[in-house]
Amino acid sequence: MNRDKISIIILAAGKGSRMKSPTAKVLHTISGKPMLYHIIKSSREISDDITVVISHQKEAVQEQMSSYFNNINFVVQDAQNFPGTGGAMKNISVKNEKVLVLNGDMPLITADALQNFLDNDNEIIMSIFDLQNPDGYGRVIIKDDKVQRIVEQKDASNEELKVTTVNAGVYAFSKTIIDKYIPLLSNDNAQEEYYLTDVISMAKADGLNIAPLLVDEENFKGVNSKKDLADSEEIMQTRIKTKLMNNGVIMQLPSTIYIEEGVTFEGECIVENGCRLTGETLIHNSHVKAGTVIEDSIIKNSDIGPLAHIRPASYIEDTHIGNFVEVKKSSLKGVKAGHLSYIGDAQIDEGTNIGAGVITCNYDGIKKYKTIIGKNVFIGSDSQLIAPVTIEDDVMIAAGTTVAERKIEKGSLAISRTKTRTIKDFYYNFFSKIKQ
Ligand code: UD1
Ligand code: CA
């Protein structure tokens, strides 16, 4: 079906009280992006006419989605007077002849899964799946192979609660159905809400055929609680990592690795167990060792970790980063920083070695300052570089030095060290022992 014949409406106005959270439900993240982002992204592959219904925390929802997408229509639900999924549809005027209505809490929905609703010209298509535990979902009452109605859990009789065929929460309607039945919805039910699902029984009463579309839970899972959120995260992570491995990334124990949606890989990369890669990170021909965290950074031809932390806006190329090294907003090219360092707001050039325990002191309690280190510099262990500071090429900093100057000139040695004093037999005298 032609994309300009399709309108998509995403219901994202609900409170989501079962999440027990101050954050709007649709803004909870899966693999680093809000749930609603994932739904809009899949919807975009099918249509350009996308309307998101908002109400609860509407400013936050609109602001976040506008940072990812242009040309989304936002419609505000009058949730006070017209609560519920049917209430959410009350303010909508539909543009195109086929309308897909999606719940905003189904982050796993794919464009392929939505496509199935469009290869079908019934006036009403609803998604169903069978669940061993249908708890929380609306039950679909089917008689003589025909859908009769949807009963919400709170309105269901004991008999109806036993039904395991449930409403998955995606519908395709023709425009005429929406225009006719949404104004007729009432709130005569246990929750005193306007249920979109009542369109089904009204249309049925008018003799219309409701076409059920059997879908799989993996794509249509609704997120109502934090347990659902965690379960959906696992499914999304499996998808992301499977795709990456199919594209050539080596992963050891992938079930222990977390990789966000915006992370990309190039060339031959290895990611060991227990790593977390977030944001818009790019890994190119690199080896990320066990327990490493990399956030919003670029890593090229390098090995990082085990147990390193690369914080946002770092650029690391041809570099070795070892264990317990933290790098923030720094650029390192051709550098070795093997152990226990903090490198923040720094720029470090080729051939430079950062000894164990080196710290860039980039913060004076008010402002952050830069550390610039040139080529072939040797920074001895346990040195502190008090920023702002420039260390020119070919400099040696002796172990244990605190560099408080603004600049160390090319070719020099910087050393700040108190001379070692030795007091003979101090130990034996102090502990009143006799030397053997
Ligand atoms: C809904 C269906 C249920 C189905 C389930 C599938 C209804 C009445 N019930 O139940 O049959 O099995 O989805 O996941 O539709 N929303 C609004 N405005 C509101 C209320 C909700 O926009 O006033 C939005 C929510 O933000 C959410 C979506 O609609 O994204 C679904 O609402 P939710 O409360 O989660 O519905 P369920 O109880 O899960
Ligand atoms: Ca839901």
Side-chain angles (χ1 to χ4, degrees), residues 11-14 18 25 77 84-85 103-105 137-138 152 167 224:
L11 309 183
R18 287 167 282 178
K25 176 160 80 168
Q77 174 184 0
T85 50
N103 283 348
D105 61 356
Y137 286 93
E152 291 309 302
N167 170 22
N224 295 315

Side-chain angles (χ1 to χ4, degrees), residues 143-430:
K143 218 157 96 195
D144 305 327
D145 282 344
K146 295 242 184 295
V147 174
Q148 308 293 316
R149 58 199 167 89
I150 301 169
V151 186
E152 291 309 302
Q153 171 144 328
K154 288 199 173 125
D155 302 293
S157 65
N158 283 340
E159 212 43 46
E160 287 165 335
L161 284 176
K162 288 185 197 143
V163 172
T164 55
T165 304
V166 301
N167 170 22
V170 175
Y171 322 81
F173 299 111
S174 64
K175 177 176 159 46
T176 48
I177 295 285
I178 298 270
D179 291 347
K180 178 166 181 198
Y181 290 107
I182 296 296
L184 301 179
L185 291 175
S186 76
N187 62 348
D188 183 15
N189 53 54
Q191 303 186 84
E192 296 189 347
E193 286 187 0
Y194 294 82
Y195 293 160
L196 173 60
T197 44
D198 286 346
V199 168
I200 304 296
S201 52
M202 289 194 282
K204 177 73 197 160
D206 286 346
L208 288 166
N209 178 41
I210 320 292
L213 183 68
L214 188 66
V215 297
D216 54 26
E217 197 198 349
E218 204 214 277
N219 291 320
F220 287 77
K221 191 174 164 48
V223 174
N224 295 315
S225 65
K226 285 177 176 153
K227 171 73 167 77
D228 292 334
L229 186 73
D231 292 346
S232 300
E233 180 68 90
E234 252 185 84
I235 296 171
M236 186 66 91
Q237 278 296 302
T238 302
R239 281 185 193 171
I240 289 173
K241 288 177 288 186
T242 303
K243 192 168 161 198
L244 290 170
M245 287 186 279
N246 286 338
N247 287 338
V249 179
I250 298 170
M251 291 188 201
Q252 291 168 340
L253 294 184
S255 62
T256 66
I257 298 171
Y258 172 82
I259 302 183
E260 286 186 355
E261 204 244 1
V263 177
T264 47
F265 289 84
E266 294 169 358
E268 177 86 321
C269 297
I270 305 176
V271 182
E272 293 184 1
N273 50 298
C275 290
R276 178 179 178 92
L277 311 180
T278 69
E280 305 294 303
T281 291
L282 164 69
I283 313 278
H284 174 98
N285 278 334
S286 294
H287 186 159
V288 184
K289 295 183 182 165
T292 289
V293 175
I294 302 179
E295 301 160 325
D296 259 314
S297 289
I298 297 176
I299 314 288
K300 290 184 175 172
N301 307 321
S302 298
D303 66 287
I304 314 286
L307 296 162
H309 186 187
I310 312 299
R311 292 171 48 203
S314 296
Y315 179 93
I316 295 175
E317 185 175 353
D318 297 326
T319 287
H320 161 72
I321 300 279
N323 46 197
F324 311 115
V325 172
E326 174 182 349
V327 178
K328 186 218 85 175
K329 206 179 176 186
S330 294
S331 140
L332 281 67
K333 214 176 155 209
V335 175
K336 289 197 174 92
H339 338 260
L340 296 153
S341 272
Y342 173 60
I343 299 169
D345 302 303
Q347 181 189 318
I348 312 180
D349 217 331
E350 275 165 70
T352 288
N353 188 86
I354 307 290
V358 169
I359 294 170
T360 56
C361 309
N362 61 333
Y363 186 49
D364 64 0
I366 300 165
K367 276 178 79 176
K368 302 266 165 68
Y369 301 94
K370 285 205 84 170
T371 299
I372 307 210
I373 305 177
K375 292 189 171 61
N376 306 316
V377 172
F378 183 92
I379 314 248
S381 295
D382 192 32
S383 295
Q384 301 94 49
L385 312 175
I386 301 177
V389 57
T390 300
I391 297 175
E392 295 187 343
D393 296 349
D394 308 328
V395 162
M396 289 181 82
I397 308 282
T401 295
T402 301
V403 177
E405 286 72 30
R406 291 279 174 270
K407 183 159 118 183
I408 307 294
E409 268 180 36
K410 186 171 186 310
S412 342
L413 166 73
I415 175 163
S416 74
R417 204 182 269 173
T418 44
K419 206 164 183 297
T420 307
R421 202 153 64 98
T422 320
I423 302 171
K424 211 168 174 318
D425 292 334
F426 180 92
Y427 177 97
Y428 301 105
N429 296 332
F430 188 81

